[in-house]
Amino acid sequence: PGPLSRGSVILTQLVFTAAFSMAYVVSPHFCHRFVGYLEEQAVVTYSDILQKMDEGKLPMWSRLPAPEIAAKYWKLGEGAMMRDVILAIRADEAHHRVVNHTLGDMDLKQKNPFGPGE
């Protein structure tokens, strides 16, 4: 991508970060709910990918070994395939969905029920 595209991406990231930060100051509930819905859509997307792999509509992905960096990050076993990576990512997104919807439901004075790394 050229400098205009790169500049546009950087500007968009800066604007979104500023707007989301301000929105969080105004309503953390809204922001957690918003992220929870994004995570829900991610689960739907990864489920769709898995379904297409199972139906043979993504033959290259069905035979593709897991990238080494993904296998290490997700602690996948020897011989892990791309399907295993997608399953791990979908599970992570589902967990983020639960965390964000839970935080969106909580009163601001309640203690966070999730410890670091949970």
Side-chain angles (χ1 to χ4, degrees):
L4 183 60
S5 291
R6 290 174 191 230
S8 297
V9 168
I10 291 169
L11 180 63
T12 301
Q13 290 174 333
L14 290 171
V15 169
F16 179 81
T17 300
F20 193 78
S21 296
M22 290 302 296
Y24 197 88
V25 169
V26 173
S27 179
H29 294 288
F30 169 80
C31 291
H32 283 292
R33 187 69 64 201
F34 175 74
V35 172
Y37 289 131
L38 289 177
E39 300 291 358
E40 280 185 29
Q41 190 56 49
V43 170
V44 169
T45 300
Y46 289 116
S47 295
D48 184 56
I49 291 169
L50 290 167
Q51 181 179 351
K52 284 184 169 65
M53 288 175 77
D54 292 343
E55 293 170 350
K57 294 180 180 175
L58 295 171
M60 185 178 139
W61 280 30
S62 297
R63 297 185 306 270
L64 190 65
E68 184 179 337
I69 191 168
K72 282 183 182 179
Y73 181 82
W74 295 110
K75 298 177 177 79
L76 302 175
E78 185 79 23
M81 301 297 286
M82 183 56 81
R83 187 175 205 291
D84 301 312
V85 174
I86 300 298
L87 285 167
I89 293 170
R90 183 179 67 170
D92 193 49
E93 299 292 353
H95 177 68
H96 295 163
R97 172 191 62 199
V98 170
V99 168
N100 277 285
H101 282 310
T102 300
L103 295 174
D105 287 339
M106 292 174 57
D107 184 85
L108 295 177
K109 296 181 195 259
Q110 285 180 285
K111 186 175 186 243
N112 182 344
F114 303 101
E118 290 183 27

